Amino acid sequence: DIVMTQSPDSLAVSLGERATINCKSSQSVLYRSNNKNYLAWYQQKPGQPPKLLIYWASTRESGVPDRFSGSGSGTDFTLTISSLQAGDVAVYYCQQSYTTPRTFGQGTKVEIK
Amino acid sequence: QVQLQESGPRLVKPSETLSLTCTVSGGSITSSYWSWIRQPPGQGLEWIGYIDYTGSTNYNPSLKSRVTISQDTSKNQLFLKVSSVTAADTAVYYCARAEGHNDPFDYWGQGTLVTVSS
């Protein structure tokens, strides 16, 4: 299985400040034939299902605010929230779809400082 | 707009079989890949498996011996069965769609909490 490891487990950021979450995969999720990284980011608020934010490591899902961005390739990825809003308080997960079983990171809880 | 809705018993006794249904509207289950994913209370997400548009299945090896995913295309429904359940199977169970084999999960149901207890 590909193990997805996120860091940190939690972080507290002031409103309007930048939040950065890292995700590392135990093996590359880059599919060389099409140069796509099969890495997605999700946001989960309490009592709700996860919501897709970013796919292919850096493509924003339709309707997702542009303060959310993804970067990275191969085994190391980052989700950045450029200016944290109150509504961004949530747990964020990375997930690989390179192979089965599909696997998720353990989650990173983002709070307001 | 694709919508998914999980349904089924909320309480299952240990050693029995957990059975859930996911009803899909706004899209056909004869296209795309349809997964079951679970989340124990306060914990992270675990992929259980998927059924694709041909009816082929792929299961997480950690659960493979106890899991069956099936579908009824006439009713646009997916089904999950987990046999010989224990308290460790207590979780919110989600169904979710991935448009293509390596695509992310773009549509999710609201989830249903299933508790395993006598």
Side-chain angles (χ1 to χ4, degrees), chain B residues 60-96:
Chain B
N60 193 324
S62 68
L63 295 164
K64 187 174 184 177
S65 63
R66 299 194 294 126
V67 168
T68 303
I69 297 175
S70 59
Q71 62 186 24
D72 183 335
T73 56
S74 68
K75 295 182 178 179
N76 225 32
Q77 291 179 324
L78 313 163
F79 307 104
L80 172 70
K81 292 188 184 298
V82 182
S83 64
S84 305
V85 296
T86 69
D89 295 306
T90 294
V92 175
Y93 285 77
Y94 297 101
C95 51

Side-chain angles (χ1 to χ4, degrees), chain A residues 93, chain B residues 38-46 87-94 113:
Chain A
Y93 294 93
Chain B
R38 71 181 184 178
Q39 185 172 36
Q43 297 185 40
L45 298 156
E46 179 180 33
D89 295 306
T90 294
V92 175
Y93 285 77
Y94 297 101
L113 175 61

Side-chain angles (χ1 to χ4, degrees), chain B residues 25-57:
Chain B
S25 58
S28 172
I29 64 169
T30 58
S31 66
S32 306
Y33 292 72
W34 304 90
S35 284
W36 287 95
I37 296 162
R38 71 181 184 178
Q39 185 172 36
Q43 297 185 40
L45 298 156
E46 179 180 33
W47 179 76
I48 299 169
Y50 72 60
I51 187 164
D52 73 16
Y53 56 93
T54 70
S56 295
T57 55

Side-chain angles (χ1 to χ4, degrees), chain A residues 1 38 40 42 44 47-52 54-56 61 93 95 97-106, chain B residues 33 35 37 39 43-47 50 58-62 94 100-111:
Chain A
D1 298 7
Y38 289 123
Y42 300 86
Q44 187 178 33
Q48 296 184 20
K51 173 189 173 183
L52 177 64
I54 303 282
Y55 58 95
W56 299 336
E61 175 72 333
Y93 294 93
Q95 177 248 329
S97 56
Y98 182 84
T99 189
T100 57
R102 305 297 191 230
T103 48
F104 294 84
Q106 79 276 19
Chain B
Y33 292 72
S35 284
I37 296 162
Q39 185 172 36
Q43 297 185 40
L45 298 156
E46 179 180 33
W47 179 76
Y50 72 60
N58 189 313
Y59 300 130
N60 193 324
S62 68
Y94 297 101
H101 181 254
N102 295 105
D103 285 343
F105 302 116
D106 54 358
Y107 291 99
W108 295 66
Q110 282 301 306

Side-chain angles (χ1 to χ4, degrees), chain A residues 2 4 23 25 27-42 52 54-59 71-77 93-105, chain B residues 98 100-105:
Chain A
I2 296 180
M4 309 299 291
C23 174
S25 56
Q27 64 187 76
S28 176
V29 297
L30 172 64
Y31 197 57
R32 294 199 179 276
S33 65
N34 59 13
N35 204 37
K36 283 183 181 177
N37 287 281
Y38 289 123
L39 187 286
W41 290 96
Y42 300 86
L52 177 64
I54 303 282
Y55 58 95
W56 299 336
S58 61
T59 301
S71 63
S73 185
T75 62
D76 292 279
F77 302 91
Y93 294 93
C94 60
Q95 177 248 329
Q96 64 81 19
S97 56
Y98 182 84
T99 189
T100 57
R102 305 297 191 230
T103 48
F104 294 84
Chain B
H101 181 254
N102 295 105
D103 285 343
F105 302 116

